Amino acid sequence: MIFDQPYILKQIPALIILIPMFLAVLNILFSSNFIARIFFFISNILVFFVASYGLANIDTSIFYVFGGWQSPYGIELKYDYFSGYLCFVVSLVFWIFSIAILGSFKDIDKYISINRDHIPYSLMMLIQSAFYGMILTNDIFNLYVFLEIASLSSYPLLTVGDNKRRYIYAFEYLMIGTLSATIILVSIGLVFAQVGSLNLNSINKFISNADPSLILLTFSMLILGVCTKLAVFPLHSWKINSYHSVSKIINAFFFISSPIIFISVLFKFRAIFLKSSDIDLILNILGCITLVAGSYMAFKQNNYIKIILLSSIASIGYYLVLLPASTENAIFIILQLILVDSLVKLSLALVPIAFSANNYEISFLNNFIKKSKALSALLILIFLNAASLPPSIYFFNKVRIITFLAESNFIFIAPVAIGSLLIAMYYVRLIRRVIKIDQSSAEIVIDNFALSSLILLVVILTYITFQTGYFDMIARLTFVGL
Amino acid sequence: MLIKLPFYLTFIIFLFGVYNIIYPKNYFEKLIGMCILQVGVLVFFVALAKVDLASPPIYQNIENIKYSSPLPHVLMLTAIVVGVATMAMAVALLMKIKKKFNSLEEDDF
């Protein structure tokens, strides 16, 4: 019975959360950096297999109930097509990341004493567990609890670096994170006051009976809290300061994962704020401002890590602009964007890990073509994908976004187009650096594991360029489920 | 008016907390402002739990008795624990900042 497919499928939501949590605790017992990496790799590969199995075999939503208390009284996890797809994407990204850092022995260890350098990996696994919990939970207070688990685990990680001001930036991140979590908690309280339940299914059913002005207040506060966590312009400076001052591995870890999770939080509440056109307008305006401002600030930067951080902030604008739309086409685009954006972000984040230099001013890319034509070609492919230039899948995705917005008579289409153009321009600037030949030459140390991961990523991105049929299926099933 | 008094109190505590986060230049004072903000949220949830003419949610062997909702109280137990953990983390960071810079004043950094 234990190997019956329906029995295994029912356990998947709990397994996805518990595997990294269990290995995080087990890792503490072994004071070894090497074993910590192995545990990190095992945790990510197991979750990836479980998430892939679940997504391939799911045929209806799975509700995992804790303690036998059925909803709406008890806490439950909901594994449907959308959350299954998100778990798959996040686990894929983390799995490739865990391969990339297997060989990075001179990063985190530089900043922490030898008897504690395994602890960051436990914290990262706890954060992963919390992220999966946020994707899968069907209870809004449970969402807040997982959010706080992720936040509390991330504060110590943001002190792992050599920047003198890292503790100040970590403290500022703590203040802003707690403030935004408190605002989210107040909005949860307002939802509870109106509906009388914390279960998302009950909320979706009964929220239309609530006072519309109260709905507007509630979801404005929720959006304020979530957008602060997403570092939407102008609430973005904490992200640049804190992520820029930490080790490359930790910077990459936060860079690749946190935006998708908070987008999924907004998506959970999407069915509710669709009832208010004022919230749609707020999201659209925020999205356009973030896209243009983030792209412009990235364009003015000369530091590679700051460029990719600001670019990540800018790309959140696309999600905020698409989220209010309720059509199957919009969901298709969001799903495709989530996967492609995550893989492109991962490839950008792995570049400093694969090619270690003393500093990451963009001049570190100079003369790459002299060092190795193959590596230059790899970097050019990565930056072409990030710039959304043809024939990358990101290009087709962006064309689809702009076509969809034009067909929906979206009034702010010009900022979206300008933002996309600016994004292309600064990545083209990076490509020009790669092929530029001059007298300067940064000393680059190549990490073979991270380089293998980069090659794997480029292969995956090329493969999915030709495999859009799968997105069609998941989008249709998600749309029906909503 | 009296029924809404706890909510007005919540709003005042919230404002006081936000003021203490924004105005002081000392990081420790900002941290205290953050704690005040979290207390405001606790008061808000506990005020939500109150049912008119109901007794506290402690079982009494009396027929036809109305209880206030226990759920927000339970939720706030979790929030208190989270608040304590966040405060501990913040104090640890402040100790490191003090050790490194010999000051907790924002203007000194």
Side-chain angles (χ1 to χ4, degrees), chain A residues 141 144-145 148 152 155-156 159 163-168 170-172 174-175 178-179 182-183 185-190 192-193 196 198 221, chain B residues 14 18 21 27-28 30-31 34 37-38 41 44-45 48 69 71-72 75-76 78-79 82 85-86 89-90 93-94 96-97 100-101 106 109:
Chain A
F141 193 80
Y144 167 77
V145 171
E148 288 290 13
L152 281 167
Y155 303 142
T159 60
N163 189 316
K164 277 194 294 192
R165 296 175 62 93
R166 64 189 188 278
Y167 295 111
I168 297 169
F171 182 76
E172 285 172 3
L174 184 149
M175 296 296 291
T178 307
L179 191 57
T182 307
I183 293 170
L185 187 57
V186 170
S187 73
I188 288 171
L190 286 169
F192 179 68
L198 295 166
M221 293 188 76
Chain B
F14 220 78
V18 171
I21 288 174
Y27 278 160
F28 198 78
K30 287 179 186 284
L31 178 60
M34 187 189 83
L37 194 74
Q38 288 175 328
V41 177
F44 173 64
F45 268 80
L48 278 180
S69 172
L71 182 60
L75 301 179
M76 286 307 101
T78 311
V82 165
T86 308
M89 185 66 225
L93 283 171
L94 287 178
K96 279 286 190 187
I97 294 172
K100 222 165 182 56
F101 294 94
E106 200 177 0
F109 303 131

Side-chain angles (χ1 to χ4, degrees), chain A residues 48 88 92-93 95-96 99 339-340 343-344 346 385 393 452-467 471:
Chain A
F48 175 63
F88 169 75
L92 171 66
V93 163
W95 172 52
I96 300 175
I99 299 171
L339 177 61
V340 174
L343 292 174
V344 167
L346 178 60
N385 268 300
I393 187 167
S452 321
S453 304
L454 273 177
I455 295 169
L456 176 63
L457 272 168
V458 169
V459 168
I460 292 173
L461 279 167
T462 312
Y463 174 73
I464 61 176
T465 305
F466 303 102
Q467 293 291 333
F471 293 109

Side-chain angles (χ1 to χ4, degrees), chain A residues 239 261 326 388-389 439 475 478 482:
Chain A
K239 186 171 182 173
I261 311 303
S326 60
S388 331
L389 291 173
Q439 299 305 312
T478 305
L482 287 169

